Amino acid sequence: MKKIITLYFLLVFTSLYSQNFSISGTLKDASNGETVIGANVYIKELNKAASTNQYGFYSLSAPKGNYTIQFSYITFKTVEQQIVLDKNININYNFLPNETNLTEVEVNTKASNQNVKNTQMGVIQLDMAEIKKIPAFMGEVDILKTIQLLPGVKNAGDGNTGFYVRGGGPDQNLILLDEAPIYNASHLLGFFSVFNGDAIKNVTLIKGGMPAQYGGRLSSVLDIQMKEGNNQKFEVEGGIGLISSRLTLQGPIVKNKSSFIISARRTYIDVLAKPFIDKSDFKGTSYFFYDLNAKFNYIINDKNRVFLSGYFGRDKFAFTDNESKFKTKIPWGNATACLRWNHIFNNKLFANLSASYTNYDFSFSGLQDDFEATIKSGINDYSLKYDVNYYPNSRHTFKTGVHYTFHIFTPTNVSAKQGETTFDFGKKIQLFSHEAAAYISDDWDISQRIKLNAGLRFSNFTQVGPFNRYIKNFTGKITDTVSYGLNKVVANYNGLEPRLSIRFSLTNSSSIKASYTRNFQYVHLASLSSVSLPTDIWMPCTEVIKPQLANLYVLGYFKNFKQNTFETSVEVYYKTMANQIEFKEGAQPADNVFDNPDNAFTFGKGWAYGAEFFVKKRTGKFTGWIGYTLSWTWRQFTEINYGQKFLAKYDRRHDASFVLTYDATKKWTFGMVFVYGTGNRGTLPNGFFLYQGSLSNDYGLRNSYKFVDYHRLDLNVTYTPNRQAKLQKRKNTLTEQYIKEGKDTTNIQVTKKWAKNFSNSFTLSVFNVYNRYNPYFIYLTRKGDFTAGTLQVGAKQVSLFPILPSFTWNFKF
């Protein structure tokens, strides 16, 4: 092993100290000043390429010489420039609209095949313009529902934004919004995600071969970047739909120097539904959600830039029954804030320092007469990150950094009072912990055919006091208490997480890749429900709860066709998961009154394996993809299902999606989504028996029942009027009229200044076109008498959504 490591570093240092000069810079969209993520920079003569990072920065090295450098991105035409490389140079380029590009060439095939050439596997980038063309539930563009259409990603069914990646649970996905983690990513109990599409710039999903800079979760990373704000001109954008409206303001504070964006969204379900609710059994019910995104950035100079971004969202449910004098309020939501500083040390060294805050909280309050009860839970994170990218030459890209988070967990806490009497449910429970990590990785072009990404991450998790550990006897009575003072160590865990990915190029358009990823997870989500709900409890590792651990092995084949117009891939994977967490049979979240919350859990293992097939058309009037997954997902717990292994609830043997968009003309765009999946699994009674005079259910083995298959077709059409053509036609008509009347035609105004750039579109969407009744859950009915032999048992399926049309008007000026 030592010889292998020595040989690796010998080869690395040999390649580092060759005579090269660097080309670096930042790529932006000239129309709004937004940095471009994932743009390609390509040197034709050397067949070398690089991509911009999430801040638009790139660096590429080459020997002294004359070269043709190309800049390209999927939504722009490729631009090339001649350079003389005899020193380190800086080239910042602003992508211009197609019609004004100075030098335009065809998109270079070698610069746009990064899915084949890079080492990463299971990585998919989605542009918001692409997402907005896809049919959306009730017209609400939804990032989470879009990624559920990708192979290896499974949804939780209608009305849920929770997603499951390669056999993992919903808590095993790291969701980042401008580098701040989001713990509950859904509104309306899962019907919508918390991400407002108008405020989002880029979406990256990593479901395999996770790079070393990411950690803390077992299954995937969903990295979402917000827009920076237009630093060229002021813009207003928004939309009005059937259940919600949104408005976004952005513009320069100092042109080319600083900008802002503010985006807000609110539902008006409570207003529209009130006349109908007041005449139904749900009278007194009120619900709405809202969210706010804001971001400010300032370019200090060419080497320094700061960003301040934030998110605040809330769901609010209320119910009032005047007859029984009962009131309840249930608010929950997320809040994040992140301050970042980008610094370019030189042409080869880029750094980012960020400090972030994340809050998620849930509360329930009920009042009847003079009795009042409250239940609260939540989590607060304070994080600090420092990441460095080093580009020594065109063959190596080093990344290193340190991350730290201070967690404050608040599991379910109960308080109650009646009149002047306050009930004692024990002290408020809070759990404190430190999580830290350091990593290093190298993306190394060993040769034209072989490229390696090797990384190592070290993580540490420490639970600290104040904390009380209750000691109980066999009857459940507390016999002793072990107390830990402020910052005293309660439990400590750490581990090494190696990451390795390798690519072997077969041809310029095909390659074979393999990866191994090891991850620790120190925070856990415990749920009593089959779907993600705000009542779910986040818990840290403790003396009782050990870190989750996963090992993921992936092998894939990647092939592009017709000059990279079509991307295809096949990936097979095998994953093992240790220390999986579930509530014990019969446990309830409120059981932690006068007890430690971790005593309600049981622990087991899981494993998953499968194959994923993906075909994507990138360019042209028709774009879209076809995804198919064949998979198995298993769980095994000593205290569940008699210790026997069982298929997980979201084990689906077959899962397929077909996504298509068609830009028929500049005015008309059509979209289609078809999904099919083997039914979810559940546990239903096999029979019934009498116990002490009561009829009881005799349940079968865990998840032994399979629901019927799920399938659905969604369609949409978007009409975008050609306003500029209408204005020009109107101007021509007025010009002819003025000439006839002998008037001056120099300053003809056909519209107000602000309205010249006004554009709008109308989208009609139809969800579940052929009115398929897909199962949400099944419940049992009983008629007759068991003792008389007349008992009849039936099962009824509950479905959420029939065919649902929706209409949205979008505008921008």
Side-chain angles (χ1 to χ4, degrees), residues 9 28 129 160 228 241 273 382 396 429 508 620 637 642 675 706 802:
F9 283 106
K28 298 180 181 180
N160 201 291
E228 296 157 7
Y382 302 85
H396 290 274
I429 298 175
N508 193 51
F637 291 77
Y642 309 103
V675 293
K706 186 177 79 67

Side-chain angles (χ1 to χ4, degrees), residues 746-765:
T746 305
N747 297 311
I748 293 179
Q749 295 291 331
V750 294
T751 185
K752 293 182 179 181
K753 185 176 180 180
W754 67 267
K756 286 184 178 180
N757 296 320
F758 180 86
S759 63
N760 65 339
S761 64
F762 304 89
T763 300
L764 174 65
S765 299

